[in-house]
Amino acid sequence: MWQKKKTILIVDDEQGLVEALEDALTYEGHIVLKASTAEQALQILKTQHVDLVTIDIMMPPGPSFEADIDSHKTGVFLCQTIKKQYPKLELFVLSVVSDIDTIRTIQKLGVTFLRKGEIPLRTVLDRIKAKLSGLAYSSDWEDDRRKH
Amino acid sequence: MSSKDELNDEVKTSAKLASELEKVKRENAALKAQLEQTKKERIEYLQNVSHQLVAPLNAIKWHIENLTAARVSPERARKVLSSIYSQSTIAVHLAKNFALMSNLEADHSLTALQEPIETVDLYRLMVNLADDFQPLAWDKEVHIKVIPTPLESAPPVLAMKKLISQSFSNIIENAVKYSSKSSDMIISGTHNAKTNTVSVQVSDRGIPLPSDVNLIFERGYRSKEAKSIYPPGTGFGLYIAKRIVEIHEGSISAKTDPSGLVVFTIELSIDKLKGRARERVAKEKDYPDRR
């Protein structure tokens, strides 16, 4: 593999999807870490070096955040928190959420939004590869505008 | 009647009309608000349905892509196939629930459900369902155990097999979903000759039941603990399970025992549906083209 090994954190509670993404990223030569709540994800980021994070929107926030966070938007909270604490970390949102306000909020944070139900895994791998190697992929804002 | 009196009457009538108009306006506003609420609930329900169905199907797609692109070892491939199987189980289970749900919404009495009434061996049904859900349960290292004695020797019950199977499927799926990691799920049952019933128990160790247990069988209800573990659920599974048991004139209940074990009990009569089965045969004779 021409690329240096990178560490990718998958934050998602849907085990089937996580497994498939993990298989593919491992095959590409990456180290994969997993978290199924926002709280777990933030814990991992505190203790380990991570190059890129993929985030689901609808997932459990974790016991300490339960009272304050709507589990239908946990991913938005996680993006905001990570952007504040680790501004240089690359983030991808992988979700089936189709609410346009939520998508806009994510994109305004500079986070790439990919629709989990619509794209092949190959596309996700290509987008991640491009991001990690610093190559520009066409702007996600533009992508989204063309779609609608 | 003097003209003054007439005038007074007119004033009274118009005041009465005005107050009635106000009342109608208020009712109208209340109905509008109710309609908006129903619309909102329907949209949320549909979004939920789509999210829940898309997730397992998409996982299957990605798994197959990994297999065809040879991104996994032959050994890992076997595990991937098992994962595809359990994701398909979820998708089929959900699709069946949604189809049933639209029937339940369309006809509250459910008399229109023309499912055949047949004898059902509950032990065999439990074994089949356990086999179906075991791959999914393994993801959490949960072992589903069906205890043969004495359920194995219980007589079969008369039931609408497809429906009763979906009812148990909902109870078992619920127990798998909310079981703690590495725990056992036990399915057992007994025949009660006195009441001429067979009761089946599904027990698991996981999140506790709410203090008002009956809430869990209400349409759309989900406990705070359930939401925090699995956000996208619809809260329809146990409601559907209960409705189906009620059509069979059986009973369903749930309780937490002192050790924290959550136990669901379904009791079904062996021959209560006999009369209904006969009625149907008679009807079909009268209207042979209706099928």
Side-chain angles (χ1 to χ4, degrees):
Chain A
M1 208 78 13
W2 60 278
Q3 220 178 320
K4 216 180 107 199
K5 252 190 186 182
K6 301 277 187 183
T7 303
I8 297 172
L9 171 62
I10 305 173
V11 194
D12 196 328
D13 66 319
E14 281 161 317
Q15 196 160 353
L17 286 154
V18 172
E19 270 178 30
L21 188 56
E22 182 185 10
D23 280 341
L25 289 169
T26 310
Y27 175 76
E28 297 267 297
H30 301 299
I31 298 160
V32 176
L33 304 174
K34 293 176 287 183
S36 56
T37 66
E39 193 174 348
Q40 273 177 20
L42 292 170
Q43 275 301 329
I44 290 174
L45 290 176
K46 256 186 213 163
T47 54
Q48 300 192 53
H49 167 80
V50 171
D51 296 291
L52 186 144
V53 189
T54 73
I55 299 168
D56 184 23
I57 295 295
M58 267 201 230
M59 61 180 170
S64 346
F65 301 125
E66 238 161 56
D68 312 310
I69 296 164
D70 173 7
S71 60
H72 288 86
K73 286 184 182 171
T74 302
V76 178
F77 158 79
L78 190 58
C79 286
Q80 287 162 339
T81 314
I82 293 178
K83 276 284 162 195
K84 237 183 252 162
Q85 295 180 1
Y86 313 90
K88 284 186 183 156
L89 195 52
E90 297 290 1
L91 305 183
F92 273 86
V93 161
L94 273 173
S95 169
V96 293
V97 164
S98 55
D99 168 47
I100 195 69
D101 292 333
T102 306
I103 297 172
R104 289 268 146 83
T105 312
I106 291 159
Q107 289 173 329
K108 272 184 196 153
L109 288 166
V111 176
T112 308
F113 176 85
L114 298 175
R115 275 206 182 79
K116 210 153 55 166
E118 288 176 13
I119 50 167
L121 200 41
R122 179 73 262 158
T123 312
V124 180
L125 295 178
D126 289 346
R127 299 292 293 256
I128 287 178
K129 193 186 260 179
K131 199 66 126 193
L132 286 173
S133 59
L135 294 172
Y137 211 96
S138 70
S139 148
D140 305 309
W141 260 112
E142 290 301 316
D143 268 8
D144 209 63
R145 275 230 289 275
R146 252 177 263 136
K147 250 189 209 163
H148 291 284
Chain B
M1 202 186 258
S2 73
S3 61
K4 202 178 167 191
D5 285 344
E6 267 174 30
L7 195 65
N8 260 346
D9 276 355
E10 253 173 54
V11 169
K12 267 186 207 155
T13 315
S14 73
K16 204 176 151 201
L17 279 177
S19 104
E20 258 169 34
L21 184 66
E22 274 312 308
K23 202 179 143 209
V24 170
K25 269 188 190 163
R26 274 199 305 274
E27 281 171 0
N28 193 21
L31 279 175
K32 257 189 192 162
Q34 211 180 332
L35 186 68
E36 279 308 311
Q37 181 60 23
T38 311
K39 260 191 203 164
K40 212 182 126 212
E41 277 171 16
R42 238 187 82 211
I43 291 169
E44 273 170 18
Y45 169 66
L46 287 174
Q47 278 176 346
N48 227 326
V49 166
S50 104
H51 181 263
Q52 289 201 64
L53 268 179
V54 165
L57 294 177
N58 191 46
I60 291 169
K61 267 169 66 186
W62 279 7
H63 277 314
I64 291 174
E65 191 186 320
N66 280 338
L67 291 174
T68 48
R71 292 184 193 128
V72 291
S73 68
E75 194 191 306
R76 170 80 191 137
R78 237 172 291 139
K79 283 206 178 118
V80 171
L81 284 171
S82 150
S83 183
I84 290 176
Y85 185 92
S86 55
Q87 296 295 325
S88 315
T89 307
I90 304 176
V92 170
H93 172 85
L94 286 170
K96 278 185 184 169
N97 260 358
F98 296 138
L100 262 176
M101 205 53 207
S102 44
N103 269 325
L104 287 166
E105 298 290 280
D107 173 37
H108 271 255
S109 69
L110 267 164
T111 44
L113 281 178
Q114 288 291 315
E115 290 290 336
I117 294 168
E118 53 198 306
T119 52
V120 180
D121 178 338
L122 288 179
Y123 174 67
R124 280 190 53 192
L125 179 62
M126 292 309 121
V127 170
N128 289 342
L129 287 173
D131 283 349
D132 222 13
F133 281 100
Q134 188 56 72
L136 182 67
W138 281 141
D139 290 347
K140 292 171 79 176
E141 289 155 40
V142 169
H143 190 185
I144 308 177
K145 291 179 182 163
V146 184
I147 313 291
T149 321
L151 184 58
E152 205 175 13
S153 53
V157 299
L158 266 184
M160 291 175 254
K161 194 174 180 183
K162 256 199 214 158
L163 295 185
I164 211 68
S165 153
Q166 188 65 8
S167 181
F168 280 110
S169 182
N170 277 327
I171 302 279
I172 293 170
E173 192 256 1
N174 187 75
V176 171
K177 198 151 68 183
Y178 301 117
S179 278
S180 312
K181 217 179 164 192
S182 313
S183 60
D184 280 348
M185 234 187 86
I186 310 285
I187 304 176
S188 62
T190 47
H191 168 221
N192 186 338
K194 237 186 200 170
T195 52
N196 207 22
T197 55
V198 177
S199 74
V200 174
Q201 257 120 25
V202 177
S203 41
D204 71 275
R205 271 181 205 286
I207 63 166
L209 294 166
S211 48
D212 183 359
V213 173
N214 289 325
L215 283 176
I216 61 170
F217 296 112
E218 270 178 24
R219 183 182 178 280
Y221 174 81
R222 300 193 67 222
S223 76
K224 207 173 140 257
E225 285 86 358
K227 278 187 206 159
S228 73
I229 287 176
Y230 187 72
T234 51
F236 288 156
L238 295 179
Y239 166 75
I240 290 174
K242 185 178 187 222
R243 290 289 300 271
I244 292 172
V245 170
E246 280 170 354
I247 307 162
H248 287 81
E249 297 176 45
S251 71
I252 185 169
S253 61
K255 65 170 202 279
T256 313
D257 84 355
S259 74
L261 194 71
V262 175
V263 186
F264 282 86
T265 305
I266 291 184
E267 192 169 35
L268 293 169
S269 160
I270 290 170
D271 57 5
K272 241 184 196 166
L273 292 197
K274 222 179 209 167
R276 251 200 273 174
R278 236 183 270 131
E279 248 169 59
R280 278 211 194 147
V281 172
K283 254 190 203 162
E284 273 152 22
K285 261 189 201 153
D286 288 346
Y287 308 98
D289 299 335
R290 278 182 61 179
R291 290 199 85 170

